[in-house]
């Protein structure tokens, strides 16, 4: 019985949106954040945990997912650029964003072939493709084959994993 409750707790933690507060923890300035540096980062999760706010750490480094329709960018339509909230890597142009009504920001293509990387994800009894930042290897979301032309892809991203700069 304990193991079943533990599994349910872990799944709820992974799926639920994490608190938007920092729980009074001191968050250090992120020395790895740059919108111009394209060097691949090799930073331990222990180091990221010291730097990132808890809600970003949970999604980006522990593969949690924010609840649908709760993220700040799921229905945003302002023109600009989306960056990795962990390291500043350019990820998506707003011109590639579309209204998918899934509850998360959706894009049909990344800004470049090196912006993101892909990894098989077989968690929760599903076969999916995880999308990671190409610079810091942080979890962004998943990609699906139900997007609009020209790619027919839907990059379903967590808002907390994204920074946005308007044009």
């Amino acid at each position: 019985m304990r193991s079943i409750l533990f599994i349910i707790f872990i799944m709820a933690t992974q799926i639920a949106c994490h608190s938007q507060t920092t729980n009074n923890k001191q968050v250090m300035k992120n020395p790895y954040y740059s919108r111009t540096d394209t060097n691949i980062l090799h930073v331990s999760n222990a180091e990221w945990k010291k730097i990132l706010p808890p809600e970003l750490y949970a999604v980006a480094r522990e593969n949690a997912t924010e609840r649908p329709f709760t993220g700040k960018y799921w229905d945003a339509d302002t023109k600009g650029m989306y960056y990795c909230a962990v390291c500043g890597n350019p990820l998506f142009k707003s011109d590639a964003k579309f209204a998918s009504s899934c509850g998360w920001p959706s894009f049909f293509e990344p800004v470049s072939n090196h912006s993101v990387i892909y990894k098989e994800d077989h968690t929760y009894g599903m076969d999916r493709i995880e999308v990671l930042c190409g610079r810091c290897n942080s979890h962004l979301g998943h990609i699906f084959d139900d997007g609009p032309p020209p790619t027919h892809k839907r990059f379903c991203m967590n808002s907390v994993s994204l920074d946005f700069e308007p044009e």
Side-chain angles (χ1 to χ4, degrees):
M1 183 65 178
R2 277 183 159 172
S3 62
I4 291 172
L5 290 175
F6 180 73
I7 291 170
I8 290 170
F9 171 77
I10 294 297
M11 289 178 67
T13 301
Q14 290 289 312
I15 295 171
C17 178
H18 291 267
S19 169
Q20 294 297 310
T21 67
T22 60
N23 299 324
N24 296 322
K25 288 185 181 178
Q26 180 69 29
V27 178
M28 297 170 36
K29 181 170 171 47
N30 184 346
Y32 305 105
Y33 192 95
S34 172
R35 293 187 175 172
T36 57
D37 186 355
T38 58
N39 292 316
I40 303 297
L41 295 172
H42 301 284
V43 179
S44 71
N45 277 346
E47 179 71 10
W48 284 127
K49 193 165 194 164
K50 293 176 192 173
I51 297 168
L52 301 176
E55 66 277 3
L56 177 55
Y57 181 83
V59 172
R61 306 309 302 176
E62 295 179 331
N63 300 349
T65 301
E66 62 193 7
R67 288 182 312 226
F69 307 104
T70 62
K72 59 185 171 183
Y73 301 125
W74 80 268
D75 65 346
D77 60 1
T78 306
K79 297 294 182 199
M81 179 69 78
Y82 289 88
Y83 298 88
C84 175
V86 173
C87 73
N89 187 37
L91 299 171
F92 302 98
K93 292 181 182 178
S94 61
D95 294 344
K97 191 172 186 293
F98 66 97
S100 68
S101 70
C102 69
W104 291 276
S106 297
F107 304 87
F108 61 80
E109 67 183 356
V111 72
S112 79
N113 291 336
H114 304 290
S115 295
V116 297
I117 54 177
Y118 308 97
K119 179 180 162 189
E120 288 187 19
D121 178 1
H122 302 290
T123 57
Y124 307 115
M126 295 182 274
D127 292 325
R128 303 179 291 175
I129 303 296
E130 181 182 9
V131 179
L132 304 164
C133 173
R135 181 168 180 248
C136 70
N137 207 35
S138 288
H139 174 77
L140 301 170
H142 292 88
I143 184 173
F144 302 96
D145 290 326
D146 59 359
T151 64
H152 301 283
K153 301 292 183 192
R154 175 171 52 99
F155 288 80
C156 186
M157 304 292 99
N158 290 285
S159 288
V160 72
S161 294
L162 303 173
D163 275 344
F164 178 74
E165 184 174 305
E167 284 182 352

